[in-house]
Amino acid sequence: VLMLAAGVGGQTERLAGRRRKMAVESRVTQEEIKKEPEKPIDREKTCPLLLRVFTTNNGRHHRMDEFSRGNVPSSELQIYTWMDATLKELTSLVKEVYPEARKKGTHFNFA
């Protein structure tokens, strides 16, 4: 299992050795739903952002204390992408730069 801490994703918790999804409450109001959709990012004219991705092969996400006092885990990947990138796009980018992620049976978990 390849775990990615990339600043996006859902919440999960482990119970008795198995994983289940936690209930996530939506905070979207009816007013927000009626707003005009945001214009798509023009990737030809917009500068991409640097996304720092931290991988693990142990089946768990990194602990928060691994990021304390300016330290970060050594398994960092740096990917340039745009704010509207999908998780599928991010998965493809990780596979491009991290051969370990191409192995059969690899699972991607974002948090």
Side-chain angles (χ1 to χ4, degrees):
V1 176
L2 178 69
M3 306 296 283
L4 302 173
V8 293
Q11 298 175 336
T12 60
E13 68 178 26
R14 283 198 184 277
L15 291 176
R18 69 178 215 275
R19 179 177 288 179
R20 72 175 178 90
K21 290 279 184 188
M22 293 174 59
V24 179
E25 181 181 329
S26 174
R27 291 192 167 88
V28 178
T29 65
Q30 290 298 320
E31 295 165 1
E32 291 173 321
I33 292 171
K34 293 177 185 175
K35 285 183 183 175
E36 284 185 38
E38 290 185 27
K39 294 180 183 175
I41 293 175
D42 184 348
R43 293 185 176 192
E44 294 292 321
K45 296 179 180 175
T46 304
C47 182
L49 59 92
L50 173 63
L51 180 65
R52 299 173 72 189
V53 178
F54 300 91
T55 63
T56 67
N57 291 323
N58 64 10
R60 294 185 306 261
H61 289 282
H62 290 284
R63 296 182 323 274
M64 291 304 294
D65 63 5
E66 293 181 77
F67 296 90
S68 65
R69 299 189 177 132
N71 295 324
V72 293
S74 61
S75 62
E76 180 177 3
L77 303 175
Q78 294 186 351
I79 299 172
Y80 287 94
T81 190
W82 289 267
M83 287 295 289
D84 65 347
T86 64
L87 292 179
K88 187 172 184 172
E89 283 179 280
L90 295 178
T91 299
S92 295
L93 290 169
V94 169
K95 286 180 178 180
E96 280 181 35
V97 299
Y98 187 57
E100 188 80 13
R102 295 182 217 140
K103 288 184 177 178
K104 187 175 183 171
T106 299
H107 297 276
F108 288 83
N109 292 312
F110 294 88

